[in-house]
Amino acid sequence: MIVGNAYTILKRLVDITAPYLGDDFLTTSVAVVGQLFKADMVFVTRLLDHPPTRGRVLAAWQDGGLRDSFEFDLVGTPCEMVFDGAPVVIPGDVCRNFAAEKETTFESYVGIPLWGPSGEMIGHYAIISSQRIATPAEGEVLREIAQICAHRFEAEAWRLLIEAEKEAAFRQLQQLNARLEQEAITDFLTKLYNRRYFSRRCGEACARMRRGGERFALILFDVDHFKAVNDSYGHDAGDEVLASVAEVLRRMTRDNLEIVGRVGGEEFAVLCLGNPDAAAAGLIAERLRQAVAAQVIEARAGRLTVTVSAGFARSELSDESWESVYARADRALYRAKETGRNRVCAADDTT
Protein backbone atom coordinates (compact mmCIF):
# COMPACT_ATOMS: atom_id res chain seq x y z
CA MET A 1 0.00 0.00 0.00
CA ILE A 2 2.93 2.34 0.68
CA VAL A 3 4.96 3.53 -2.32
CA GLY A 4 8.44 4.63 -1.13
CA ASN A 5 9.72 5.15 2.41
CA ALA A 6 8.12 7.34 5.05
CA TYR A 7 10.54 10.25 4.62
CA THR A 8 10.02 10.35 0.84
CA ILE A 9 6.27 10.29 1.22
CA LEU A 10 6.22 13.09 3.77
CA LYS A 11 8.62 15.26 1.77
CA ARG A 12 6.62 14.87 -1.42
CA LEU A 13 3.40 15.59 0.42
CA VAL A 14 4.79 18.77 1.97
CA ASP A 15 6.38 19.96 -1.29
CA ILE A 16 3.18 19.56 -3.28
CA THR A 17 0.68 20.91 -0.77
CA ALA A 18 2.68 23.76 0.80
CA PRO A 19 1.25 26.57 -1.45
CA TYR A 20 -2.38 25.73 -0.67
CA LEU A 21 -4.84 26.73 2.06
CA GLY A 22 -8.39 25.80 3.01
CA ASP A 23 -10.44 23.95 0.39
CA ASP A 24 -7.56 24.03 -2.10
CA PHE A 25 -5.28 22.36 0.42
CA LEU A 26 -7.78 19.65 1.26
CA THR A 27 -8.59 18.74 -2.35
CA THR A 28 -4.92 18.77 -3.33
CA SER A 29 -3.88 16.75 -0.28
CA VAL A 30 -6.43 13.96 -0.59
CA ALA A 31 -5.35 13.44 -4.18
CA VAL A 32 -1.65 13.43 -3.24
CA VAL A 33 -2.19 11.09 -0.29
CA GLY A 34 -4.22 8.75 -2.48
CA GLN A 35 -1.49 8.61 -5.09
CA LEU A 36 1.42 8.30 -2.65
CA PHE A 37 -0.29 5.61 -0.59
CA LYS A 38 -1.68 3.90 -3.68
CA ALA A 39 -5.11 4.05 -2.05
CA ASP A 40 -8.54 3.73 -3.65
CA MET A 41 -10.17 6.46 -1.56
CA VAL A 42 -9.00 9.29 0.71
CA PHE A 43 -11.34 11.76 2.38
CA VAL A 44 -11.51 14.42 5.09
CA THR A 45 -14.69 14.93 7.11
CA ARG A 46 -16.22 17.38 9.53
CA LEU A 47 -18.55 16.11 12.25
CA LEU A 48 -22.14 17.29 12.04
CA ASP A 49 -23.30 16.21 15.49
CA HIS A 50 -22.19 15.12 18.96
CA PRO A 51 -21.98 12.36 19.93
CA PRO A 52 -20.76 11.56 16.41
CA THR A 53 -23.25 9.78 14.16
CA ARG A 54 -22.99 11.78 10.95
CA GLY A 55 -20.23 13.55 9.03
CA ARG A 56 -19.79 15.77 6.02
CA VAL A 57 -17.00 14.98 3.58
CA LEU A 58 -15.10 18.21 2.90
CA ALA A 59 -12.82 16.71 0.24
CA ALA A 60 -12.63 13.23 -1.27
CA TRP A 61 -10.44 11.47 -3.82
CA GLN A 62 -11.58 8.13 -5.24
CA ASP A 63 -10.35 5.96 -8.08
CA GLY A 64 -8.08 8.67 -9.47
CA GLY A 65 -10.49 11.64 -9.30
CA LEU A 66 -11.97 14.17 -6.90
CA ARG A 67 -15.54 13.70 -5.64
CA ASP A 68 -18.11 16.29 -4.71
CA SER A 69 -18.78 16.91 -1.04
CA PHE A 70 -21.41 14.67 0.56
CA GLU A 71 -22.82 13.67 3.94
CA PHE A 72 -22.90 10.14 5.32
CA ASP A 73 -23.79 8.12 8.42
CA LEU A 74 -20.82 7.01 10.48
CA VAL A 75 -22.71 4.13 12.12
CA GLY A 76 -21.73 0.77 10.69
CA THR A 77 -18.53 2.07 9.08
CA PRO A 78 -14.92 1.81 10.26
CA CYS A 79 -15.03 5.61 10.57
CA GLU A 80 -17.23 5.16 13.63
CA MET A 81 -14.29 3.62 15.52
CA VAL A 82 -12.10 6.69 14.94
CA PHE A 83 -14.38 8.80 17.09
CA ASP A 84 -13.35 6.90 20.18
CA GLY A 85 -10.46 9.38 19.93
CA ALA A 86 -7.57 7.30 18.62
CA PRO A 87 -6.16 6.39 15.16
CA VAL A 88 -7.56 3.18 13.68
CA VAL A 89 -5.65 0.78 11.42
CA ILE A 90 -7.53 -2.19 9.97
CA PRO A 91 -5.20 -4.29 7.83
CA GLY A 92 -7.89 -6.33 6.03
CA ASP A 93 -11.47 -7.57 5.72
CA VAL A 94 -13.06 -4.11 6.00
CA CYS A 95 -15.74 -5.00 3.45
CA ARG A 96 -16.67 -8.14 5.37
CA ASN A 97 -16.60 -6.75 8.90
CA PHE A 98 -18.58 -3.53 8.51
CA ALA A 99 -22.20 -3.50 7.39
CA ALA A 100 -21.93 -0.24 5.47
CA GLU A 101 -19.01 -1.54 3.37
CA LYS A 102 -20.61 -4.78 2.13
CA GLU A 103 -20.96 -3.45 -1.40
CA THR A 104 -17.34 -2.28 -1.68
CA THR A 105 -14.03 -3.99 -2.45
CA PHE A 106 -12.23 -2.16 0.37
CA GLU A 107 -9.85 -4.33 2.37
CA SER A 108 -7.70 -2.00 4.51
CA TYR A 109 -8.51 1.19 6.37
CA VAL A 110 -6.56 3.88 8.20
CA GLY A 111 -8.54 6.57 10.08
CA ILE A 112 -7.12 9.52 12.02
CA PRO A 113 -9.21 11.81 14.26
CA LEU A 114 -8.86 15.55 13.72
CA TRP A 115 -8.90 17.85 16.72
CA GLY A 116 -9.69 21.52 17.21
CA PRO A 117 -7.38 23.90 19.11
CA SER A 118 -9.42 23.48 22.30
CA GLY A 119 -9.19 19.70 22.27
CA GLU A 120 -12.59 19.00 20.70
CA MET A 121 -12.89 16.43 17.93
CA ILE A 122 -13.96 18.16 14.70
CA GLY A 123 -13.72 15.34 12.15
CA HIS A 124 -11.31 12.79 10.72
CA TYR A 125 -9.51 11.72 7.60
CA ALA A 126 -9.32 8.24 6.19
CA ILE A 127 -7.29 6.21 3.70
CA ILE A 128 -9.02 3.14 2.24
CA SER A 129 -7.58 0.60 -0.17
CA SER A 130 -8.65 -2.57 -1.92
CA GLN A 131 -5.21 -3.93 -0.98
CA ARG A 132 -4.51 -5.46 2.39
CA ILE A 133 -1.78 -4.02 4.59
CA ALA A 134 0.87 -6.70 4.24
CA THR A 135 2.58 -6.60 7.64
CA PRO A 136 2.07 -5.05 11.10
CA ALA A 137 5.23 -3.01 10.48
CA GLU A 138 3.78 -1.52 7.30
CA GLY A 139 0.57 -0.75 9.17
CA GLU A 140 2.50 1.07 11.89
CA VAL A 141 4.48 3.13 9.37
CA LEU A 142 1.27 4.00 7.58
CA ARG A 143 -0.36 5.06 10.85
CA GLU A 144 2.61 7.23 11.81
CA ILE A 145 2.72 8.97 8.44
CA ALA A 146 -1.03 9.53 8.51
CA GLN A 147 -0.82 10.86 12.05
CA ILE A 148 1.83 13.41 11.03
CA CYS A 149 -0.26 14.48 8.04
CA ALA A 150 -3.22 14.95 10.36
CA HIS A 151 -1.78 18.09 11.94
CA ARG A 152 -2.02 20.02 8.67
CA PHE A 153 -5.45 18.55 7.97
CA GLU A 154 -6.54 19.71 11.42
CA ALA A 155 -5.39 23.26 10.78
CA GLU A 156 -7.17 23.55 7.44
CA ALA A 157 -10.33 21.75 8.58
CA TRP A 158 -10.49 24.09 11.56
CA ARG A 159 -9.93 27.09 9.29
CA LEU A 160 -12.84 25.97 7.09
CA LEU A 161 -15.05 25.33 10.13
CA ILE A 162 -14.40 28.84 11.46
CA GLU A 163 -15.05 30.35 8.03
CA ALA A 164 -18.32 28.41 7.75
CA GLU A 165 -19.39 29.58 11.21
CA LYS A 166 -18.51 33.17 10.33
CA GLU A 167 -20.45 32.92 7.08
CA ALA A 168 -23.47 31.46 8.91
CA ALA A 169 -23.25 34.19 11.55
CA PHE A 170 -23.00 36.84 8.82
CA ARG A 171 -26.08 35.44 7.07
CA GLN A 172 -27.98 35.43 10.36
CA LEU A 173 -26.92 39.04 10.97
CA GLN A 174 -28.09 40.02 7.48
CA GLN A 175 -31.43 38.31 8.08
CA LEU A 176 -31.78 40.02 11.46
CA ASN A 177 -30.92 43.42 10.00
CA ALA A 178 -33.41 42.90 7.18
CA ARG A 179 -36.11 41.95 9.66
CA LEU A 180 -35.35 44.92 11.91
CA GLU A 181 -35.33 47.25 8.91
CA GLN A 182 -38.70 45.89 7.78
CA GLU A 183 -40.12 46.26 11.28
CA ALA A 184 -38.85 49.85 11.43
CA ILE A 185 -40.89 50.83 8.35
CA THR A 186 -43.99 48.71 9.01
CA ASP A 187 -47.11 49.46 11.01
CA PHE A 188 -47.45 46.68 13.60
CA LEU A 189 -51.23 46.21 13.32
CA THR A 190 -51.89 46.52 9.59
CA LYS A 191 -48.47 45.48 8.18
CA LEU A 192 -48.65 48.48 5.85
CA TYR A 193 -45.88 51.04 5.70
CA ASN A 194 -45.90 53.36 8.71
CA ARG A 195 -46.27 57.12 8.50
CA ARG A 196 -42.53 57.80 8.74
CA TYR A 197 -41.63 55.54 5.81
CA PHE A 198 -44.66 56.67 3.78
CA SER A 199 -43.55 60.29 4.28
CA ARG A 200 -40.07 59.39 3.06
CA ARG A 201 -41.45 57.86 -0.14
CA CYS A 202 -43.57 60.98 -0.69
CA GLY A 203 -40.46 63.13 -0.29
CA GLU A 204 -38.64 61.00 -2.88
CA ALA A 205 -41.56 61.36 -5.31
CA CYS A 206 -41.52 65.14 -4.86
CA ALA A 207 -37.75 65.25 -5.48
CA ARG A 208 -38.19 63.28 -8.71
CA MET A 209 -40.88 65.71 -9.82
CA ARG A 210 -38.58 68.68 -9.27
CA ARG A 211 -35.77 66.98 -11.18
CA GLY A 212 -37.71 65.59 -14.13
CA GLY A 213 -41.29 66.78 -13.98
CA GLU A 214 -42.81 63.36 -13.12
CA ARG A 215 -45.93 64.14 -11.13
CA PHE A 216 -47.65 62.02 -8.48
CA ALA A 217 -50.97 61.89 -6.66
CA LEU A 218 -51.96 61.33 -3.05
CA ILE A 219 -55.19 59.62 -1.96
CA LEU A 220 -56.26 59.78 1.70
CA PHE A 221 -58.84 57.39 3.19
CA ASP A 222 -60.64 57.58 6.51
CA VAL A 223 -62.80 54.77 7.91
CA ASP A 224 -66.32 56.08 8.34
CA HIS A 225 -67.88 56.02 11.86
CA PHE A 226 -64.87 54.16 13.24
CA LYS A 227 -65.49 55.43 16.77
CA ALA A 228 -68.91 53.80 16.67
CA VAL A 229 -67.27 50.45 15.79
CA ASN A 230 -65.02 50.73 18.84
CA ASP A 231 -67.85 51.83 21.09
CA SER A 232 -70.26 49.12 19.91
CA TYR A 233 -67.96 46.13 19.44
CA GLY A 234 -64.78 46.95 21.37
CA HIS A 235 -61.25 47.86 20.39
CA ASP A 236 -60.42 44.31 19.31
CA ALA A 237 -63.13 44.55 16.65
CA GLY A 238 -61.78 47.98 15.70
CA ASP A 239 -58.33 46.46 15.18
CA GLU A 240 -59.83 43.72 13.01
CA VAL A 241 -61.57 46.35 10.90
CA LEU A 242 -58.34 48.30 10.39
CA ALA A 243 -56.44 45.14 9.45
CA SER A 244 -59.17 44.14 6.98
CA VAL A 245 -59.26 47.57 5.33
CA ALA A 246 -55.46 47.48 5.08
CA GLU A 247 -55.60 44.06 3.42
CA VAL A 248 -58.07 45.34 0.81
CA LEU A 249 -55.85 48.32 0.03
CA ARG A 250 -52.77 46.10 -0.22
CA ARG A 251 -54.49 43.54 -2.43
CA MET A 252 -56.04 46.09 -4.78
CA THR A 253 -52.90 48.16 -5.43
CA ARG A 254 -49.80 47.58 -7.54
CA ASP A 255 -46.50 47.32 -5.67
CA ASN A 256 -44.49 49.23 -8.24
CA LEU A 257 -46.94 52.10 -8.77
CA GLU A 258 -48.97 52.58 -5.58
CA ILE A 259 -47.43 52.85 -2.12
CA VAL A 260 -49.89 52.23 0.73
CA GLY A 261 -49.40 53.38 4.30
CA ARG A 262 -51.25 53.83 7.56
CA VAL A 263 -50.85 57.50 8.43
CA GLY A 264 -53.14 57.82 11.45
CA GLY A 265 -55.47 55.88 13.73
CA GLU A 266 -58.08 55.00 11.09
CA GLU A 267 -56.44 56.91 8.26
CA PHE A 268 -54.70 55.39 5.26
CA ALA A 269 -52.91 56.94 2.30
CA VAL A 270 -51.91 55.84 -1.18
CA LEU A 271 -49.03 57.44 -3.07
CA CYS A 272 -49.68 57.04 -6.81
CA LEU A 273 -46.51 57.09 -8.92
CA GLY A 274 -45.94 56.98 -12.67
CA ASN A 275 -47.21 60.49 -13.55
CA PRO A 276 -50.95 59.77 -13.11
CA ASP A 277 -53.45 62.38 -14.22
CA ALA A 278 -56.39 63.45 -12.06
CA ALA A 279 -58.77 61.04 -13.78
CA ALA A 280 -56.49 58.06 -13.11
CA ALA A 281 -56.05 59.02 -9.45
CA GLY A 282 -59.83 59.38 -9.10
CA LEU A 283 -60.43 55.96 -10.62
CA ILE A 284 -57.93 54.35 -8.23
CA ALA A 285 -59.60 56.03 -5.25
CA GLU A 286 -63.09 54.96 -6.37
CA ARG A 287 -61.98 51.38 -7.03
CA LEU A 288 -60.50 51.12 -3.55
CA ARG A 289 -63.55 52.73 -1.93
CA GLN A 290 -65.85 50.20 -3.58
CA ALA A 291 -63.62 47.27 -2.63
CA VAL A 292 -63.67 48.26 1.05
CA ALA A 293 -67.45 48.70 1.02
CA ALA A 294 -67.90 45.22 -0.51
CA GLN A 295 -65.67 43.54 2.08
CA VAL A 296 -67.41 41.46 4.77
CA ILE A 297 -65.21 41.36 7.87
CA GLU A 298 -65.41 38.13 9.86
CA ALA A 299 -64.66 39.64 13.26
CA ARG A 300 -64.90 37.84 16.57
CA ALA A 301 -67.79 40.16 17.41
CA GLY A 302 -69.63 39.07 14.26
CA ARG A 303 -69.77 39.95 10.57
CA LEU A 304 -69.10 43.63 9.98
CA THR A 305 -68.99 45.96 7.01
CA VAL A 306 -67.47 49.43 6.89
CA THR A 307 -67.03 52.20 4.36
CA VAL A 308 -64.32 54.76 3.75
CA SER A 309 -64.31 58.35 2.60
CA ALA A 310 -61.52 59.49 0.29
CA GLY A 311 -59.93 62.68 -0.95
CA PHE A 312 -57.18 62.98 -3.54
CA ALA A 313 -54.90 65.58 -5.04
CA ARG A 314 -52.37 65.60 -7.85
CA SER A 315 -49.00 67.26 -7.39
CA GLU A 316 -48.23 70.55 -9.16
CA LEU A 317 -44.83 71.52 -10.52
CA SER A 318 -45.09 74.59 -8.30
CA ASP A 319 -45.38 72.50 -5.12
CA GLU A 320 -42.46 73.19 -2.78
CA SER A 321 -43.02 69.95 -0.88
CA TRP A 322 -45.20 66.87 -0.82
CA GLU A 323 -46.89 68.22 2.33
CA SER A 324 -48.75 70.79 0.25
CA VAL A 325 -50.19 67.99 -1.91
CA TYR A 326 -51.12 66.08 1.23
CA ALA A 327 -52.88 69.15 2.63
CA ARG A 328 -55.01 69.51 -0.52
CA ALA A 329 -55.94 65.81 -0.40
CA ASP A 330 -56.80 66.17 3.28
CA ARG A 331 -59.16 69.06 2.56
CA ALA A 332 -60.81 66.95 -0.15
CA LEU A 333 -61.19 64.09 2.35
CA TYR A 334 -62.81 66.44 4.84
CA ARG A 335 -65.29 67.52 2.15
CA ALA A 336 -66.12 63.86 1.39
CA LYS A 337 -66.96 63.27 5.03
CA GLU A 338 -68.91 66.51 5.29
CA THR A 339 -71.05 65.66 2.26
CA GLY A 340 -72.22 62.24 3.36
CA ARG A 341 -69.20 59.89 3.65
CA ASN A 342 -68.52 56.74 1.59
CA ARG A 343 -67.51 58.84 -1.39
CA VAL A 344 -64.45 60.25 -3.18
CA CYS A 345 -63.78 63.96 -3.55
CA ALA A 346 -61.05 65.62 -5.61
CA ALA A 347 -59.05 68.62 -4.48
CA ASP A 348 -60.44 71.80 -5.98
CA ASP A 349 -57.25 72.50 -7.87
CA THR A 350 -56.66 68.93 -9.15
CA THR A 351 -55.99 69.21 -12.89
Side-chain angles (χ1 to χ4, degrees), residues 29-334:
S29 295
V30 293
V32 173
V33 169
Q35 293 161 4
L36 293 179
F37 288 178
K38 212 171 182 181
D40 291 287
M41 187 174 187
V42 181
F43 57 89
V44 181
T45 71
R46 182 177 72 234
L47 286 179
L48 296 178
D49 56 4
H50 290 277
T53 63
R54 192 162 178 80
R56 179 170 186 80
V57 172
L58 301 177
W61 182 88
Q62 185 174 12
D63 299 329
L66 293 172
R67 287 189 57 180
D68 292 334
S69 178
F70 60 93
E71 295 181 10
F72 73 106
D73 292 321
L74 301 168
V75 179
T77 72
C79 303
E80 185 178 18
M81 301 173 62
V82 179
F83 294 103
D84 288 336
V88 172
V89 178
I90 303 173
D93 294 335
V94 168
C95 59
R96 283 178 285 277
N97 292 333
F98 294 90
E101 309 298 343
K102 295 293 186 187
E103 303 301 319
T104 73
T105 58
F106 294 147
E107 282 287 318
S108 58
Y109 173 91
V110 178
I112 308 293
L114 302 178
W115 304 87
S118 302
E120 71 277 26
M121 196 177 300
I122 59 173
H124 82 305
Y125 90 95
I127 306 169
I128 309 177
S129 176
S130 56
Q131 300 180 35
R132 296 176 64 90
I133 297 175
T135 66
E138 183 183 1
E140 182 59 24
V141 170
L142 185 60
R143 187 195 66 79
E144 288 181 2
I145 295 172
Q147 183 71 65
I148 293 170
C149 296
H151 296 308
R152 182 73 190 279
F153 279 115
E154 285 173 349
E156 299 308 323
W158 180 252
R159 183 201 305 274
L160 290 172
L161 180 61
I162 294 299
E163 289 176 355
E165 289 177 347
K166 286 181 178 178
E167 184 177 344
F170 179 68
R171 284 197 302 270
Q172 290 176 349
L173 181 61
Q174 285 183 311
Q175 292 168 357
L176 175 61
N177 287 338
R179 187 169 72 249
L180 292 175
E181 182 178 352
Q182 188 62 34
E183 289 175 356
I185 66 175
T186 303
D187 175 64
F188 176 76
L189 174 63
T190 64
K191 309 308 178 188
L192 297 178
Y193 291 127
N194 58 26
R195 185 183 183 98
R196 182 177 62 178
Y197 181 75
F198 184 83
S199 298
R200 191 174 94 190
R201 295 299 300 268
C202 289
E204 292 170 355
C206 193
R208 281 196 302 273
M209 181 183 71
R210 289 199 296 270
R211 288 195 304 269
E214 180 182 305
R215 295 164 74 176
F216 62 93
L218 280 172
I219 308 171
L220 304 186
F221 294 92
D222 188 274
V223 179
D224 296 327
H225 304 297
F226 184 70
K227 184 177 183 302
V229 173
N230 280 332
D231 291 344
S232 299
Y233 303 102
H235 288 281
D236 287 345
D239 288 347
E240 290 175 294
V241 166
L242 294 176
S244 295
V245 170
E247 178 56 31
V248 171
L249 297 179
R250 181 189 299 107
R251 189 176 68 247
M252 300 294 291
T253 50
R254 299 164 293 179
D255 289 340
N256 58 333
L257 287 178
E258 290 118 31
I259 310 301
V260 187
R262 183 187 180 194
V263 295
E266 64 270 22
E267 297 174 2
F268 301 89
V270 178
L271 168 64
C272 303
L273 304 174
N275 206 24
D277 58 21
L283 287 173
I284 294 170
E286 179 61 21
R287 175 166 51 84
L288 295 175
R289 183 198 65 78
Q290 291 179 14
V292 171
Q295 174 89 338
V296 177
I297 302 166
E298 301 289 347
R300 280 169 288 183
R303 304 181 78 191
L304 303 174
T305 58
V306 295
T307 61
V308 292
S309 299
F312 70 93
R314 188 182 186 223
S315 65
E316 301 291 343
L317 297 178
S318 58
D319 282 315
E320 293 288 333
S321 69
W322 66 270
E323 285 93 339
S324 60
V325 187
Y326 191 98
R328 294 199 300 274
D330 193 47
R331 288 194 294 271
L333 170 62
Y334 182 79

